[in-house]
Amino acid sequence: MTVEIIAAYATALCLLGGSFFILVGVIGLLKFNDPMTRLHAPTKVGTLGIGMLLLASMIHSIVLGAVSVHEVLIMAFLFVTAPISAHFIAKIAIHGRTCDNPPPPPRDDTWSTLSIPKEGRKVAGLPDS
């Protein structure tokens, strides 16, 4: 097998994988009802799909000998802006009261620290303190 054939298979695999992830993102966008569940489909799965399509474009352009950094810049821009836009959509949904608020955290001193409760210390074999 030559490098061109291997690159063609890699390009086809990236195109198929990217198309699958974009299709899953579109179905998720259409299927989910509220904005909080709906924003996961285009931001998570869609970003991965677009990234795979851009990777296929990069592989194909390298085989042709026309190396370009446009795909890398597009991927960097996409990976930076997708989480920010998802955060803004979530904040708008929370402040607009169009979704349920997340449940409050439990009222103990271990949920956000590295403290281990006394019964957990016994199980782990740690001394009581």
Side-chain angles (χ1 to χ4, degrees):
M1 289 180 120
T2 64
V3 175
E4 289 84 15
I5 293 173
I6 294 172
Y9 283 135
T11 301
L13 188 65
C14 287
L15 285 173
L16 288 174
S19 300
F20 171 75
F21 283 118
I22 288 176
L23 181 66
V24 168
V26 168
I27 291 171
L29 186 63
L30 295 175
K31 182 177 167 71
F32 294 134
N33 297 328
D34 62 333
M36 294 299 277
T37 57
R38 193 177 273 180
L39 64 89
H40 288 289
T43 55
K44 308 292 188 280
V45 182
T47 304
L48 182 62
I50 296 291
M52 289 184 77
L53 292 179
L54 289 170
L55 182 63
S57 175
M58 286 175 18
I59 293 170
H60 184 68
S61 67
I62 287 172
V63 169
L64 293 179
V67 179
S68 172
V69 296
H70 294 115
E71 291 90 355
V72 176
L73 294 174
I74 293 169
M75 227 185 279
F77 181 74
L78 184 69
F79 288 155
V80 167
T81 58
I84 294 170
S85 63
H87 181 74
F88 283 152
I89 292 170
K91 292 295 266 184
I92 288 170
I94 289 172
H95 288 295
R97 305 277 190 237
T98 59
C99 64
D100 296 332
N101 286 333
R107 298 288 178 202
D108 64 357
D109 61 343
T110 62
W111 73 271
S112 67
T113 64
L114 296 176
S115 299
I116 301 173
K118 288 187 179 184
E119 56 272 358
R121 296 181 75 76
K122 291 178 185 176
V123 172
L126 298 171
D128 290 335
S129 57

